[in-house]
Amino acid sequence: AEGDGVAEEPQWWRELLLGLNHVLPSSLFMLPLALTARDLLADENKAVKYLLEVQQQERLESLLLMALVPTAVSERFLMADRLIADKYQATVLFIYVCDYEEVMLRYGADMTIAWMNQIFTGLDGCINDCPKDSVTKVETFNNFLLAFSGELETADEPADEALDGQHAERCMALAVQMLQATAHVRRPDGKVTTVKVGLSSGAICAGVICGLASPRYSIFGDTVNTASRMASNALPSTAASPYIHCSATTRDSLDDDFCRELQASEGLFVAPRGEGIEIKGKGKMQTYCVTQHREPQDEWWRAGSTG
């Protein structure tokens, strides 16, 4: 009071003190809360970044796995199915590139690899042109490509009933297309690229062998071995002079209408190769060849072979 000699506080000062009285406690409470929220947000951003990196890594691993094995198999593998061993009735296709070692020794790795890349790019394109999942590329290694077409066996479908021939026709048509794909690929010395083609039909097992790392999809069985023998015993072939060698099981699986269409559209005939030839590890086998002639023109089969 003025009578007591004490000056009255200004109004603005009382309002300031009142405001500070409300603000300071709130600030003391909100400041730690804000700092905590900031730290939590930073941790969340780190977690999101880490999760995105993990997802990207998983996508890359999935893409790499699908490059190593068929899509359906990679999906099973990613779901922790570690025992993959499927049975098929199938036709196996082998293609060997001729003179690979000679070219490697003469022209070195760089030019040989460039040449092989051209060849396998063309062959892969042929497989990609097939209906989805109708033909499976198993691998390329050094100078050969291995692929197959087949029907997965089940408990309700016995092996002898599954052999319907469609896979043989798919692989035979694919072999013709692959010969055409190599027509414009020249060796480093300018010569025409030649290949040996072999097919065989029957039962195979397809599975993934991985060990601790590097899973590998492969096929096994006598049919695979026979297809390899058919290729190694074939004559060098080009699009201009095709020669596709197959076992009796593949010939028996080809429909007559397919053979007539092959003759009409490509000018190719399916003919027996003599009265049989000696095949290493197999003995004498009656085999067949697809050529531009009704009867094989080579003298080689008359002498037989042990390749």
Side-chain angles (χ1 to χ4, degrees):
E2 293 182 359
D4 298 331
V6 179
E8 184 177 355
E9 296 175 347
Q11 179 67 26
W12 63 269
W13 178 252
R14 289 198 299 271
E15 292 176 355
L16 177 61
L17 292 177
L18 181 63
L20 290 174
N21 186 52
H22 287 284
V23 170
L24 284 177
S26 300
S27 299
L28 292 175
F29 172 75
M30 291 299 296
L31 184 59
L33 186 61
L35 293 175
T36 301
R38 184 194 65 183
D39 293 340
L40 290 174
L41 182 60
D43 291 341
E44 182 181 0
N45 289 336
K46 290 179 181 178
V48 170
K49 183 180 179 181
Y50 175 73
L51 180 61
L52 291 174
E53 290 175 351
V54 170
Q55 290 176 338
Q56 183 179 10
Q57 183 66 26
E58 289 179 347
R59 283 194 295 269
L60 289 174
E61 291 177 355
S62 179
L63 289 173
L64 287 173
L65 185 60
M66 284 189 290
L68 294 171
V69 301
T71 303
V73 175
S74 68
E75 291 173 352
R76 291 166 58 188
F77 196 80
L78 290 171
M79 294 178 66
D81 187 354
R82 291 296 183 264
L83 180 58
I84 299 176
D86 299 323
K87 294 181 179 179
Y88 288 84
Q89 281 294 333
T91 296
V92 177
L93 167 66
F94 263 99
I95 291 190
Y96 289 98
V97 180
C98 300
D99 305 319
Y100 165 78
E101 293 182 356
E102 174 192 332
V103 172
M104 176 68 79
L105 290 173
R106 184 174 178 183
Y107 294 97
D110 290 347
M111 296 184 70
T112 303
I113 290 174
W115 171 52
M116 297 300 291
N117 275 334
Q118 279 187 284
I119 296 171
F120 288 136
T121 296
L123 300 185
D124 285 348
C126 295
I127 295 176
N128 291 339
D129 288 340
C130 295
K132 184 178 180 182
D133 298 329
S134 63
V135 177
T136 299
K137 173 186 172 182
V138 179
E139 65 175 326
T140 53
F141 182 75
N142 285 346
N143 67 325
F144 77 83
L145 178 143
L146 171 61
F148 79 94
S149 175
E151 302 297 329
L152 182 65
E153 289 188 25
T154 65
D156 299 327
E157 186 178 19
D160 56 346
E161 296 179 7
L163 193 57
D164 60 6
Q166 292 183 3
H167 46 75
E169 295 172 5
R170 281 194 294 263
C171 281
M172 184 63 74
L174 176 62
V176 173
Q177 185 183 357
M178 285 179 163
L179 286 177
Q180 296 168 351
T182 63
H184 304 294
V185 180
R186 296 282 176 168
R187 293 173 19 163
D189 57 7
K191 294 181 180 179
V192 176
T193 295
T194 57
V195 297
K196 291 185 175 184
V197 186
L199 292 85
S200 188
S201 303
I204 66 170
C205 179
V208 177
I209 299 175
C210 58
L212 297 177
S214 301
R216 181 186 176 190
Y217 183 75
S218 192
I219 57 177
F220 312 89
D222 185 65
T223 302
V224 182
N225 297 332
T226 302
S228 176
R229 294 300 184 194
M230 293 299 102
S232 62
N233 283 273
L235 293 184
S237 178
T238 65
S241 181
Y243 194 105
I244 301 170
H245 195 205
C246 68
S247 66
T249 54
T250 296
R251 173 61 186 94
D252 292 344
S253 299
L254 298 176
D255 186 80
D256 289 341
D257 289 339
F258 174 83
C259 294
R260 284 191 287 268
E261 177 62 27
L262 191 65
Q263 178 182 342
S265 61
E266 304 293 343
L268 299 176
F269 301 87
V270 183
R273 190 170 179 178
E275 297 178 356
I277 62 173
E278 288 293 328
I279 301 294
K280 184 178 180 181
K282 299 290 182 181
K284 191 172 184 178
M285 292 181 65
Q286 178 62 66
T287 64
Y288 294 79
C289 51
V290 178
T291 70
Q292 295 171 333
H293 310 282
R294 290 184 182 274
E295 296 292 337
Q297 298 298 300
D298 63 288
E299 296 292 329
W300 192 49
W301 61 264
R302 291 187 173 88
S305 173
T306 57

